[in-house]
Amino acid sequence: MAKNGNIHPTRIFRNPDELLIAWHDYKKDVEKQSEEWIRVQYVGKNGDRKTDGQKVPYTLEGFKRFCRNNYGEVEQYFVNQNGYYDDFVSICREIKEEIRENQIVGGLLGFYNPSITQRLNGLVDKQEQKQVVEQPLFDDGEES
């Protein structure tokens, strides 16, 4: 029960453990998705065709979609709508942190596009580049 004594009547997960089970189910589903994202390589001197599934990143959007398709809407758990979901704050934070860690480590190891991973997680390396173009103040009298 939420700390304020309220439980939303349409709450699909009654406690954080149920949401954690859904999270683990989502991770298993992501592993199965790797079979859909096949990388084809030609290896060896004969160019033998080899296929393997690619690592699919965890995303909060993917988790929400998975839950919507299998359990129901979960957006309200992550935004703690009206304080009804106070008891889910720590598990939601844990899920978000695991997603972020998965994306960052996957980007660092080259499994995911590092540029996209950086942008998704607010890790963009911002470099300021200035280009100074000076225009002469006075005409030096030469004509082209």
Side-chain angles (χ1 to χ4, degrees), residues 99-111:
I99 288 170
R100 189 168 194 262
E101 179 185 23
N102 174 269
Q103 292 175 355
I104 291 170
V105 172
L108 289 169
L109 296 177
F111 288 103

Side-chain angles (χ1 to χ4, degrees), residues 62-79:
F63 180 57
K64 290 176 185 177
R65 177 207 40 83
F66 175 81
C67 286
R68 195 170 31 255
N69 291 341
N70 295 285
Y71 301 100
E73 190 63 48
V74 295
E75 174 74 21
Q76 66 275 20
Y77 291 86
F78 288 91
V79 296

